[in-house]
Amino acid sequence: MTHGIRTDTHTPYLNGGRDWRDTATRYALLPLRVFLGVTFIYAGLDKLTDSAFMKDAGSGSVGDLMRTVRDSSAIPALVDLSLKNPVGFGYAIAIGELAVGIGILIGLLSRLAAVGGALISLSLWLTVSWATEPYYYGNDLIYLMAWLPLVLAGAPVLSLDAALRTRRRQRAGAYR
């Protein structure tokens, strides 16, 4: 039988204070959230406002991009699926990036937004940047890895998720 101190009722600091390491740990994911949120919002808006991108064919179009990477992608069938309707695929990616960016930036359904960001990054890595050599030059793999801590931890501070969680706790306490 082991005995120990319950960490949920005792603090290692005098008078319950926190030091700078606790504060840094608590806010550690905030810079990542801001970076990924702003980047994905920018990427989505950039695609939505680029008239050349949202076309079946032509220089800079999503259709030409998909045809270019088709034979070098890890999953050509995924590229073939996008080629059935390149403009629709372009809009889906752009709106997905926008929704993911807004969700993670404001911290609303942040784990779901992070899963969405990871799936977008994974699909782009397996298609568009798969042939990049060496592999670490391809940015989609790096974005995929950057989303994983947010999938696991969500947005615990300075987020709508945290505010809603606090509100639920307060309401639950009022009913006791």
Side-chain angles (χ1 to χ4, degrees):
M1 180 184 276
T2 60
H3 298 280
I5 297 175
R6 288 182 49 188
T7 57
D8 61 336
T9 58
H10 299 285
T11 177
Y13 307 105
L14 288 174
N15 300 326
R18 293 183 169 198
D19 69 354
W20 67 271
R21 285 183 215 106
D22 290 327
T23 303
T25 299
R26 189 166 181 230
Y27 291 93
L29 292 177
L30 194 57
L32 187 59
R33 275 182 51 211
V34 170
F35 171 75
L36 289 172
V38 168
T39 300
F40 269 58
I41 290 170
Y42 179 80
L45 289 175
D46 189 44
K47 287 175 182 69
L48 289 171
T49 59
D50 184 356
S51 60
F53 182 78
M54 292 298 179
K55 292 192 175 171
D56 289 339
S59 179
S61 70
V62 66
D64 276 2
L65 174 64
M66 292 294 107
R67 281 186 282 283
T68 301
V69 302
R70 194 233 175 256
D71 294 331
S72 62
S73 73
I75 306 175
L78 190 59
V79 178
D80 290 338
L81 183 64
S82 72
L83 285 171
K84 290 183 181 192
N85 185 356
V87 175
F89 174 74
Y91 277 109
I93 289 291
I95 292 169
E97 287 173 335
L98 198 56
V100 161
I102 291 169
I104 205 66
L105 191 61
I106 66 173
L108 181 62
L109 302 173
S110 54
R111 281 194 173 103
L112 181 62
V115 167
L119 289 174
I120 290 171
S121 298
L122 177 64
S123 66
L124 292 174
W125 176 56
L126 292 173
T127 56
V128 177
S129 61
W130 181 257
T132 304
E133 286 189 27
Y135 76 93
Y136 50 83
Y137 282 167
N139 62 349
D140 296 313
L141 178 59
I142 296 165
Y143 280 108
L144 171 61
M145 294 298 123
W147 283 110
L148 295 181
L150 296 172
V151 168
L152 296 172
V157 295
L158 297 178
S159 67
L160 289 176
D161 287 346
L164 292 171
R165 189 171 36 254
T166 300
R167 187 173 177 189
R168 279 192 303 269
R169 284 184 190 150
Q170 288 173 344
R171 283 188 175 175
Y175 294 117
R176 289 184 184 183

